[in-house]
Amino acid sequence: MSGSRPVIDVDAHFEPAAEWLDEFPALKAELPDLLPDTDPRFTMDSGEMFAYFVSDDLLRNVPRERRMPIEQLVTPAMQIMFDPNRPAGVGYDGADQYPPMSDPAARVAWMDEVGVAYQHVISGAGYTLARAIDDPALGHGALEAVNTWMTDAAADHRDRLRPVTSLRFDDLDWVVAELSRMRERGSRAFLVSAEPAGGIPPMHPDFDKVWAAATDLGMIAHLHVGMNPGLFHPAWANTDDPAIIRLISLQNPHHSAQVFLTAVVFGGVFERHPNLTVLVSELGIDWFPGWVDKIDSMAAPGVSPLVVGEYRWPLTPREYVQRNVRISPIPAPHESPLSLMEQVPGVTVFSSDYPHYEGNPDPLAYYERELAPLDDTARGTFLGGAIAEVYARMGDPV
């Protein structure tokens, strides 16, 4: 369906094997059994960990003594998702929210079967440790270990499986060093946080060392749901109904992405780093065209002086977005990319989210049907061409 272009899957998942910490005994001895390290609430690979991610955006600003206990926020379905003996029929055959990279050859065989040439694989353990460890030294050591384990495990299939580098951004010199180390290990993308760390937002000149390293190394910045915390008034947690907390915490996950992208567009990041690309995943897609229209209108003559002042960049916000931003839907009917592809051409890219429950075990067959109204060029751009162009623009094609 993509013609001669390879299909590039920008968002799939793998995790370290269950006993991965045995290979890092010093870290194993130091890493607490319960995370976060300053507010113990969950163990890794558990229903409580999932409950943390669907509630912490709200609860993190609530005083500890007033937070709803994590056990009240866990649902039976969350526990079943992480039960190794879960009953058949939970998700599709092979679905797994926390799949260990115990057999990368089987993943490559699946890729061959469905027609995927290259796959970026994200570790939920990586972004969990990035968010749930406050101690900087421990956090750096934990992420280095995850990154090392993942790239070692994928080494025999480095031409097909490319682990996404897990990072935290409290020490930008460490970030640059870890990017360089991981590029040598085959990584072509890294997780970026939508939330500033150390008082340095992503459009600040001090952050330019990260963006420069990314383009020099030929790596994409990936803004993924696990590193995209939202902001809510803590009083919304003043309820005895855990469903309210979960639902509010999950509302509008794209808002932080909008703030991040608006800042880097108007802050001149894409003008200073024309080959940089920010990829957005698992944050929905319906908001994206309206956001592009809004920021473009804010820079328009007659409007710009009221809020922005004199818009000073040579390209319009829409032009920067079309050159420097990509967004991936999940292969599900509620995220059909057709309208987005029409409204903002060239930015929408393929992902399977495999093997998460909201993903798809046969994503190319799904898009064969979904993209049937489009011509070969548009389908090829979505399935691999738009991302291949990104890597070529950085001088390091796939």
Side-chain angles (χ1 to χ4, degrees):
M1 190 163 62
S2 61
S4 61
R5 292 169 174 159
V7 174
I8 302 174
D9 185 355
V10 299
D11 179 16
H13 297 271
F14 251 144
E15 303 299 335
E19 303 303 321
W20 75 279
L21 279 171
D22 290 347
E23 299 180 28
F24 306 93
L27 174 64
K28 184 177 182 179
E30 192 176 0
L31 198 65
D33 293 331
L34 290 174
L35 292 170
D37 56 332
T38 55
D39 179 22
R41 282 189 274 172
F42 66 87
T43 61
M44 298 289 285
D45 193 10
S46 69
E48 288 77 13
M49 183 187 75
F50 197 86
Y52 166 84
F53 270 104
V54 300
S55 64
D56 190 61
D57 285 3
L58 174 54
L59 293 182
R60 65 191 179 128
N61 290 319
V62 176
R64 287 180 61 181
E65 66 275 9
R66 292 172 52 196
R67 288 180 188 157
M68 182 175 287
I70 195 73
E71 56 268 20
Q72 290 181 238
L73 291 158
V74 181
T75 67
M78 292 177 188
Q79 298 290 24
I80 290 172
M81 278 199 310
F82 292 91
D83 183 351
N85 300 312
R86 59 183 176 271
V90 179
Y92 57 82
D93 186 28
D96 191 343
Q97 194 69 26
Y98 219 66
M101 196 189 290
S102 55
D103 190 359
R107 174 64 62 88
V108 171
W110 172 83
M111 291 163 61
D112 289 338
E113 179 183 351
V114 301
V116 172
Y118 313 114
Q119 187 174 72
H120 292 182
V121 289
I122 295 172
S123 167
Y127 61 67
T128 300
L129 293 171
R131 280 187 61 170
I133 297 178
D134 285 340
D135 179 74
L138 179 60
H140 295 156
L143 294 184
E144 288 169 5
V146 170
N147 291 335
T148 296
W149 196 97
M150 292 286 288
T151 46
D152 280 350
D156 289 344
H157 303 280
R158 180 171 169 170
D159 59 330
R160 305 289 300 281
L161 292 175
R162 288 154 179 179
V164 175
T165 300
S166 295
L167 297 170
R168 53 189 287 150
F169 292 86
D170 46 6
D171 181 340
L172 299 183
D173 290 329
W174 175 83
V175 169
V176 171
E178 187 66 359
L179 284 176
S180 180
R181 184 179 80 93
M182 284 295 287
R183 181 64 190 91
E184 292 179 359
R185 288 175 153 264
S187 179
R188 297 303 306 268
F190 62 98
L191 293 178
V192 65
S193 176
E195 191 166 75
I200 301 174
M203 76 290 187
H204 193 280
D206 288 355
F207 210 97
D208 276 357
K209 65 176 69 177
V210 174
W211 302 136
T215 54
D216 288 347
L217 294 166
M219 300 178 76
I220 291 173
H222 197 159
L223 185 57
H224 189 272
V225 65
M227 294 284 284
N228 191 69
L231 290 173
F232 299 94
H233 194 290
W236 288 114
N238 187 11
T239 176
D240 60 1
D241 186 348
I244 296 294
I245 292 177
R246 291 189 297 262
L247 286 168
I248 289 177
S249 197
L250 289 175
Q251 288 297 303
N252 301 320
H254 59 272
H255 178 256
S256 294
Q258 287 181 327
V259 173
F260 178 99
L261 293 170
T262 300
V264 298
V265 169
F266 282 86
V269 171
F270 294 139
E271 180 60 26
R272 297 193 297 273
H273 305 279
N275 293 329
L276 175 67
T277 296
V278 175
L279 166 66
V280 181
S281 291
E282 291 198 54
L283 295 173
I285 63 171
D286 57 341
W287 58 273
F288 196 82
W291 168 75
V292 174
D293 289 342
K294 179 69 176 293
I295 61 168
D296 216 37
S297 70
M298 296 300 287
V303 177
S304 174
L306 297 175
V307 177
V308 177
E310 195 64 36
Y311 181 72
R312 63 189 190 274
W313 306 119
L315 302 183
T316 66
R318 177 179 289 271
E319 288 170 331
Y320 284 118
V321 168
Q322 290 189 273
R323 188 185 70 183
N324 297 100
V325 179
R326 299 291 181 265
I327 183 168
S328 67
I330 60 173
H334 69 281
E335 287 197 12
S336 171
L338 291 174
S339 178
L340 175 54
M341 294 169 75
E342 179 182 357
Q343 294 178 74
V344 193
V347 303
T348 318
V349 295
F350 165 75
S351 69
S352 68
D353 197 37
Y354 184 81
H356 281 185
Y357 295 107
E358 65 272 28
N360 195 302
D362 198 354
L364 272 296
Y366 171 83
Y367 280 118
E368 183 79 43
R369 300 185 298 271
E370 187 67 24
L371 304 183
L374 304 181
D375 60 29
D376 288 345
T377 298
R379 290 194 294 266
T381 297
F382 170 75
L383 292 171
I387 285 293
E389 183 272 331
V390 163
Y391 285 122
R393 183 151 40 87
M394 290 186 288
D396 196 356
V398 293

